[in-house]
């Protein structure tokens, strides 16, 4: 790979860290695994991941929990633990006094070190039963479910060596769960279950977190369960994996159940809709989800909730959009002129809603609201076109302040078109507006 100077690496790292997660994942997947670009992006991602480690994870004993540690705003696959939770466990057990091995390449020494940490963390549950103050601190940091979290941390630390070996064939980000990788995962899972069965489920959960297409985890669930539907599999320990994927679907469905107020919120809602659609459709494509099965009932209930929220949004926005456009009024001798303009608050909210409406184009049909989305999109597109034609006509005949008002109205329509991701029409209206004003001059 072409070497980068410190300054180049610093600049590229800052740019890379500022990209949204889904954009970084798409770029990594597009670059592949070989070549200068792929190597550079991998270096940037590794650097970003290290810099982004929360303080709890920066204690080296917890770094093997990175795949399943995140923020409360991350999907459940990536946030079983949080910085606050791990920092609390570290503080309450005084892990700073636990000296890390001098030889970091010795897996047995590393495992012994993490096993000792597991003992210390696991002991918190018993201590909290007799120490009210400790219990209150743990509840404050980790919630009333803290004993379960403690158990999970202890399990991951205790079986780190086995899990690390099992995960070695898998990239930190798995773009496609190929048949070869699925078979490798099935074999690794069965080996773990034979040796340390309590760690088997964590192997699958970590794999789920690494998958770019979350629902592809059902490919290995099918191989392990030797069933292609949820009639029996969802009644076994593998049910936890399906429940985790469903929790992700429910998480994303909650990100677009209300109208966005800013472009940033709209972009986030659009991404959430995309991820929801991929999981929802992916589950039914990857596995035989039965409507009367455990997973089927949850999935179809979540789909219904999401579809209802989207349907209401599209219909309400279609109804309200006309009031967000600049108005045409009667002027001198009955001639049309530019009338009142919407408030800036309404403009910003409308921009956000237009952006989400546009972003929903590709995924609305997979969320069972394709017709409502298309009807709303066609309606607002026609409203903007009609409004643009009207104000271009006004601009041709207007002078002075009247011309300025018409120009402002056209600028707002152009702004709306850009928010709607209709850049071609926006540029056309902008050019026509400029041409009309130039001819008038």
């Amino acid at each position: 790979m072409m070497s980068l100077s410190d300054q180049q690496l610093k600049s590229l790292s800052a740019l890379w860290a500022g990209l949204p997660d889904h954009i970084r994942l798409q770029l990594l997947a597009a670059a592949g695994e070989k070549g200068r670009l792929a190597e550079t992006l991998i270096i940037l991602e590794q650097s970003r991941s290290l810099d982004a480690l929360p303080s709890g994870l920066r204690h080296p004993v917890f770094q093997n929990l990175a795949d399943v540690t995140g923020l409360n705003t991350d999907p459940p696959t990536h946030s079983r633990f949080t910085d606050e939770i791990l920092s609390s466990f570290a503080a309450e057990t005084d892990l700073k006094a636990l000296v890390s091995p001098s030889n970091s390449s010795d897996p047995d020494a590393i495992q012994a070190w993490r096993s000792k940490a597991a003992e210390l963390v696991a002991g918190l549950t018993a201590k909290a039963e007799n120490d009210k103050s400790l219990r209150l601190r743990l509840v404050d940091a980790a919630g009333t479910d803290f004993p379960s979290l403690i158990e999970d941390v202890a399990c991951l630390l205790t079986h780190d060596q086995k899990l690390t070996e099992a995960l070695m064939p898998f990239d930190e980000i798995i773009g496609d769960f190929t048949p070869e990788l699925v078979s490798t995962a099935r074999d690794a899972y069965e080996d773990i279950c034979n040796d340390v069965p309590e760690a088997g489920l964590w192997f699958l959960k970590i794999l789920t977190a690494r998958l770019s297409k979350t629902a592809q985890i059902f490919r290995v669930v099918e191989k392990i369960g030797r069933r292609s539907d949820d009639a029996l599999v969802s009644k076994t320990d593998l049910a936890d994996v399906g429940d985790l994927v469903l929790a992700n679907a429910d998480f994303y469905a909650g990100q677009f159940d209300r109208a966005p107020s800013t472009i940033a919120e709209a972009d986030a809602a659009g991404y959430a809709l995309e991820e929801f659609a991929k999981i929802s459709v992916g589950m039914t494509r990857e596995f035989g989800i039965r409507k009367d099965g455990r997973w089927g009932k949850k999935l179809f209930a979540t789909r219904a909730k999401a579809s209802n929220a989207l349907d209401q949004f599209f219909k309400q926005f279609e109804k309200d959009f006309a009031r967000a456009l600049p108005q045409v009024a009667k002027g001198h001798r009955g001639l049309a002129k530019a009338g009142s303009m919407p408030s800036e608050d309404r403009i910003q909210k409308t921009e956000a809603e237009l952006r989400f409406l546009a972003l929903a184009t590709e995924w609305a049909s997979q969320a069972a609201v394709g017709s409502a989305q298309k009807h709303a999109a066609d309606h607002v597109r026609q409203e903007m076109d009609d409004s643009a034609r009207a104000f271009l006509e006004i601009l041709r005949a207007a002078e002075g302040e009247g011309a300025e008002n018409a120009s402002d109205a056209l600028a707002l329509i152009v702004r709306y078109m850009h928010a709607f991701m209709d850049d071609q029409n926006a540029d056309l209206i902008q050019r026509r507006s400029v041409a009309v004003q130039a001819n008038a001059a």
Side-chain angles (χ1 to χ4, degrees):
M1 185 193 76
M2 183 182 298
S3 60
L4 297 172
S5 68
D6 291 342
Q7 185 57 45
Q8 286 175 322
L9 183 59
K10 183 178 180 180
S11 299
L12 285 174
S13 295
L15 177 63
W16 183 254
L19 293 174
D21 288 347
H22 65 288
I23 297 297
R24 286 189 293 97
L25 290 174
Q26 290 172 3
L27 291 173
L28 284 165
E33 299 177 2
K34 296 180 180 180
R36 290 180 178 177
L37 177 60
E39 292 174 2
T40 301
L41 294 186
I42 288 171
I43 289 174
L44 293 175
E45 179 62 13
Q46 289 173 341
S47 175
R48 184 203 67 82
S49 298
L50 183 61
D51 291 341
L53 285 176
S55 59
L57 272 180
R58 285 178 187 150
H59 191 294
V61 81
F62 285 146
Q63 287 183 9
N64 67 320
L65 278 61
D67 287 299
V68 288
T69 301
L71 304 173
N72 290 325
T73 52
D74 290 328
T77 45
H78 294 71
S79 58
R80 174 56 176 165
F81 314 110
T82 65
D83 173 32
E84 184 179 18
I85 289 169
L86 296 181
S87 295
S88 173
F89 293 170
E92 299 297 349
T93 53
D94 194 23
L95 288 182
K96 291 181 180 179
L98 191 62
V99 180
S100 59
S102 56
N103 183 3
S104 59
S105 62
D106 182 351
D108 292 333
I110 295 293
Q111 182 57 72
W113 172 57
R114 286 207 161 100
S115 293
K116 179 60 178 176
E119 291 178 16
L120 294 173
V121 172
L124 284 174
T125 301
K127 288 183 179 179
E129 291 179 0
N130 301 312
D131 187 336
K132 184 177 179 180
S133 177
L134 171 61
R135 179 178 178 80
L136 288 174
R137 293 196 300 274
L138 290 173
V139 169
D140 184 58
T144 55
D145 189 39
F146 75 84
S148 176
L149 290 166
I150 287 172
E151 182 180 354
D152 287 345
V153 170
C155 179
L156 284 163
L157 291 174
T158 300
H159 303 300
D160 169 56
Q161 186 173 357
K162 187 69 177 179
L163 286 168
T164 298
E165 291 172 356
L167 290 163
M168 284 182 65
F170 305 95
D171 294 334
E172 292 184 4
I173 300 174
I174 304 172
D176 185 33
F177 210 16
T178 63
E180 294 76 18
L181 286 177
V182 170
S183 294
T184 300
R186 186 266 319 276
D187 294 343
Y189 172 80
E190 291 180 349
D191 287 344
I192 289 178
C193 286
N194 286 333
D195 297 339
V196 283
E198 63 270 27
L201 193 56
W202 274 111
F203 169 72
L204 294 178
K205 288 182 176 181
I206 291 171
L207 272 186
T208 305
R210 292 188 178 189
L211 288 172
S212 296
K213 300 172 184 176
T214 310
Q216 287 186 349
I217 194 62
F218 287 100
R219 295 180 180 182
V220 73
V221 168
E222 179 180 348
K223 275 190 172 292
I224 293 168
R226 296 179 176 85
R227 286 295 298 258
S228 60
D229 63 61
D230 64 345
L232 291 179
V233 172
S234 63
K235 297 178 183 179
T236 69
D237 288 343
L238 293 175
D240 282 1
V241 178
D243 290 346
L244 184 60
V245 177
L246 284 167
N248 263 26
D250 194 58
F251 167 84
Y252 285 120
Q255 307 300 301
F256 54 81
D257 62 354
R258 59 193 177 281
S261 299
T262 65
I263 289 291
E265 287 183 6
D267 287 340
Y271 174 68
L273 175 57
E274 176 182 350
E275 290 302 304
F276 170 77
K278 286 179 178 178
I279 293 172
S280 175
V281 174
M283 282 188 73
T284 54
R285 286 179 178 173
E286 298 290 350
F287 207 67
I289 303 297
R290 299 159 53 102
K291 286 188 176 182
D292 59 346
R294 172 179 168 180
W295 290 336
K297 289 178 180 179
K298 290 183 179 179
L299 177 61
F300 288 104
T302 301
R303 276 185 181 178
K305 181 178 72 172
S307 297
N308 183 58
L310 289 168
D311 187 67
Q312 288 184 7
F313 165 74
F314 296 141
K315 289 179 177 177
Q316 189 62 45
F317 183 56
E318 180 178 337
K319 180 180 177 181
D320 294 342
F321 181 65
R323 292 195 290 272
L325 288 167
Q327 300 300 305
V328 175
K330 286 186 178 180
H332 185 57
R333 291 182 296 185
L335 295 176
K337 69 172 185 177
S340 61
M341 294 276 281
S343 67
E344 184 60 29
D345 286 345
R346 176 179 279 275
I347 290 172
Q348 291 182 9
K349 188 173 187 299
T350 301
E351 279 186 300
E353 292 172 336
L354 281 166
R355 173 62 57 84
F356 181 56
L357 179 62
L359 290 171
T361 301
E362 183 177 356
W363 305 104
S365 61
Q366 298 186 41
V369 286
S371 177
Q373 188 277 338
K374 184 179 185 303
H375 195 279
D378 289 346
H379 174 78
V380 301
R381 187 181 290 109
Q382 188 64 54
E383 288 278 318
M384 287 190 288
D385 287 346
D386 292 346
S387 187
R389 281 195 293 270
F391 283 106
L392 282 170
E393 288 300 318
I394 292 172
L395 185 60
R396 287 188 179 95
E399 296 179 352
E401 183 179 354
E404 290 182 8
N405 292 340
S407 178
D408 289 343
L410 285 165
L412 176 56
I413 296 168
V414 168
R415 181 174 166 181
Y416 281 164
M417 287 179 171
H418 279 304
F420 192 52
M421 303 175 75
D422 189 1
D423 295 334
Q424 185 175 359
N425 259 343
D427 292 342
L428 177 62
I429 298 302
Q430 179 65 39
R431 288 196 302 271
R432 286 180 176 175
S433 176
V434 171
V436 169
Q437 292 177 76
N439 289 335

